[in-house]
Amino acid sequence: MRFSGLRVLREGLTGNRGWTAQWRDPEPQAEYDAVIIGGGGHGLSTAYYLAKNHGMTNIAVLEKGYLGGGNVGRNTTVVRGNYFLPGNSEFYSHSLKLWEGLSEELNYNVMFSQRGVITLFHSDAQRDASARRGNAMINQGDDAELLDRDGLRKLLPYLDYDNGRFPIHGGLLHRRGGTARHDAVAWGYARGADQRGVDLIQQCEVTGIDIENGRVRGVQTTRGAIRAKKVAIVTAGRSGQVAAMAGMRLPIESHVLQAFVSEGLKPVIDHVISFGMGHFYISQSDKGGLVFGGDLDFYASYAQRGNLPMMEHVMEAGMTLMPMIGKARLLRSWGGIMDMTPDGSPIIDKTETEGLFVDCGWCYGGFKAVPASGYALAHLMATGQPHETAAGFRLDRFRSGEGLIDEEATGSQHNLH
Ligand SMILES: Cc1cc2nc3c(=O)[nH]c(=O)nc-3n(C[C@H](O)[C@H](O)[C@H](O)COP(=O)(O)OP(=O)(O)OC[C@H]3O[C@@H](n4cnc5c(N)ncnc54)[C@H](O)[C@@H]3O)c2cc1C
């Protein structure tokens, strides 16, 4: 089924009886060429690009819950290509380009809204760092504009520019950044993969990984054993646990990250804004809710809920930046489990077990990476070679210390992990 304006019109006039399920609900087969563990954004996009770019269609995505029920459906949907360091910048730049054509590519409206991402600076030193980052972005072929205080005030008149502790000196504007509809991204990739013959199997938890003579043979699941020539672990916050099934100890710590949404308001914030002096960022959803978040809760956990101290910190930062936010009522808060690496950059690599791959370590930035991650992992699984945009995301950099990337989009701040 193709979606189009004409189709919507016709269905509207005929009682909406023609819409069909977006993907099949197949029984798992005994054997596949490849199995992807995890039906989040990265697992689904990997399946899609394996089928589309490499003609591999005898594959299954195994999801222990429902598709898109993990972090891909829990994040604050910020998409940007403003990474600074080589290794990351080319990858996120590629991802942003894929985002720009994604709705057409998938024939599914992912509601990608390039409303601009603005990162504020509050001192001369921060302005210099922003200029440096902007230059790196431009050199990478992306966009960046350094706004002084007056330029910024024209766009964001409601900020507290003269705050005693954190006066605002300006901001780095990245116009092509913005937000997207998280569920739609998962659903669009799922539908595209299913259309190409991929089996999407929900309520199917992987409980073991079968390895013989250094080679992966398949997986054990709550729905029986499945043989596979290739297996990819794409389980975000659960990566450490799933990799342990293959006897691996990943350089990953899992932490909770919280997000918040206010009651629906009339349009007031038409960019994504990041505070430069604390962990707070905000945008407004299409339904009117102010969507905002901050930093990790600083303890390792697999609980998908957060704690009050971080909530207080985020609210304080919000009030510092835009005191008007204090009048809005908070509607909901939630948490997701982040797969944090020591250098803040991801892993897309083979493992020492032949045929076993990992894609993890997305920290708090993995939503924007969904298209390029799937693209790169599919390339690696199909060809055996890393994709040129993801060649730095090697697993062994943490053992050898060579090739660490040290980036979390704010520069190297290990102490903040
Ligand atoms: C509050 C919050 C805000 C965020 N904001 C942003 C943002 O603004 N921008 C951004 O770029 N990123 C953001 N992120 C990060 C981003 O959401 C994640 O990095 C990304 O979604 C992780 O990849 P994924 O989509 O594949 O993960 P998931 O959706 O978590 O997918 C992993 C899947 O694996 C499944 N799984 C786990 N174990 C098993 C098993 N044994 N068997 C089968 N299946 C299994 C899980 O059920 C899950 O569905 C945010 C995250 C959170 C929590």
Side-chain angles (χ1 to χ4, degrees):
M1 184 206 293
R2 272 197 72 74
F3 292 123
S4 67
L6 203 62
R7 182 77 198 240
V8 171
L9 198 64
R10 201 169 69 211
E11 291 297 334
L13 294 172
T14 56
N16 285 307
R17 283 188 292 272
W19 303 121
T20 55
Q22 296 297 294
W23 50 82
R24 298 163 296 129
D25 186 19
E27 284 300 313
Q29 295 173 31
E31 183 163 6
Y32 291 95
D33 290 338
V35 154
I36 293 159
I37 312 173
H42 293 247
L44 293 167
S45 66
T46 302
Y48 173 81
Y49 290 116
L50 271 174
K52 185 186 169 226
N53 293 356
H54 304 282
M56 279 181 70
T57 54
N58 182 27
I59 58 182
V61 176
L62 309 181
E63 167 54 48
K64 73 173 178 178
Y66 59 92
L67 297 182
N71 290 327
V72 71
R74 291 174 166 263
N75 67 84
T76 43
T77 78
V78 179
V79 172
R80 52 188 167 81
N82 61 354
Y83 283 66
F84 177 58
L85 295 175
N88 276 335
S89 54
E90 61 269 39
F91 174 84
Y92 287 99
S93 176
H94 180 226
S95 209
L96 185 56
K97 290 191 189 90
L98 292 174
W99 275 106
E100 287 173 326
L102 199 57
S103 292
E104 290 75 16
E105 161 94 31
L106 299 175
N107 178 231
Y108 205 90
N109 186 1
V110 300
M111 296 169 70
F112 183 40
S113 160
Q114 292 180 290
R115 58 187 64 184
V117 172
I118 302 178
T119 310
L120 304 178
F121 51 83
H122 307 261
S123 67
D124 288 351
Q126 277 197 328
R127 186 201 52 227
D128 292 350
S130 294
R132 205 152 74 107
R133 178 176 293 274
N135 287 336
M137 290 158 65
I138 291 167
N139 285 340
Q140 181 58 48
D142 294 317
D143 68 285
E145 289 166 51
L146 199 65
L147 300 175
D148 64 13
R149 201 172 145 102
D150 291 341
L152 186 67
R153 204 190 282 270
K154 283 191 195 124
L155 292 181
L156 312 176
Y158 44 81
L159 300 184
D160 182 3
Y161 285 82
D162 300 311
N163 183 284
R165 289 180 72 195
F166 307 123
I168 299 169
H169 290 206
L172 184 66
L173 169 62
H174 172 41
R175 287 190 192 272
R176 284 166 60 231
T179 60
R181 167 75 201 206
H182 43 14
D183 296 327
V185 176
W187 298 337
Y189 274 118
R191 175 172 169 269
D194 174 84
Q195 281 172 347
R196 286 167 175 77
V198 174
D199 282 358
L200 306 175
I201 301 170
Q202 304 181 68
Q203 306 296 331
C204 182
E205 179 169 357
V206 171
T207 53
I209 298 179
D210 297 332
I211 298 169
E212 275 171 31
N213 302 325
R215 194 172 208 314
V216 75
R217 297 288 175 199
V219 292
Q220 299 292 324
T221 81
T222 47
R223 295 175 68 173
I226 299 175
R227 289 190 301 281
K229 298 183 188 75
K230 295 180 182 177
V231 173
I233 301 171
V234 196
T235 48
R238 299 273 171 188
S239 299
Q241 289 177 328
V242 178
M245 296 174 194
M248 293 168 62
R249 185 155 178 260
L250 291 181
I252 296 278
E253 269 193 18
S254 290
H255 287 254
V256 186
L257 180 67
Q258 302 190 63
F260 310 89
V261 66
S262 77
E263 61 188 328
L265 303 171
K266 288 186 178 169
V268 52
I269 298 178
D270 47 10
H271 299 86
V272 178
I273 306 167
S274 267
F275 186 34
M277 289 303 289
H279 288 278
F280 175 79
Y281 61 95
I282 188 165
S283 66
Q284 188 164 19
S285 79
D286 295 325
K287 288 193 285 188
L290 304 181
V291 180
F292 52 102
D295 204 358
L296 301 173
D297 285 20
F298 287 110
Y299 48 88
S301 170
Y302 287 109
Q304 287 198 129
R305 60 174 187 275
N307 226 326
L308 288 174
M310 187 51 68
M311 193 180 271
E312 188 177 14
H313 173 85
V314 171
M315 302 304 154
E316 280 173 356
M319 288 292 290
T320 304
L321 191 62
M322 45 180 84
M324 68 173 187
I325 199 177
K327 295 204 170 170
R329 277 172 298 190
L330 193 63
L331 194 64
R332 282 187 296 126
S333 70
W334 65 92
I337 311 167
M338 304 291 81
D339 36 333
M340 306 301 296
T341 54
D343 70 355
S345 295
I347 300 164
I348 302 179
D349 208 353
K350 301 173 189 174
T351 67
E352 286 176 358
T353 301
E354 209 183 324
L356 182 65
F357 301 81
V358 282
D359 176 308
C360 62
W362 294 100
C363 303
Y364 14 54
F367 178 66
K368 66 182 74 63
V370 162
S373 163
Y375 201 98
L377 178 59
H379 185 276
L380 178 67
M381 290 177 73
T383 66
Q385 297 302 319
H387 189 258
E388 57 186 350
T389 60
F393 297 161
R394 295 172 60 108
L395 178 57
D396 65 4
R397 70 184 191 270
F398 300 101
R399 183 186 298 155
S400 66
E402 268 174 50
L404 292 172
I405 300 177
D406 288 329
E407 167 130 46
E408 45 175 339
T410 55
S412 171
Q413 298 193 39
H414 286 171
N415 59 319
L416 294 182
H417 275 192

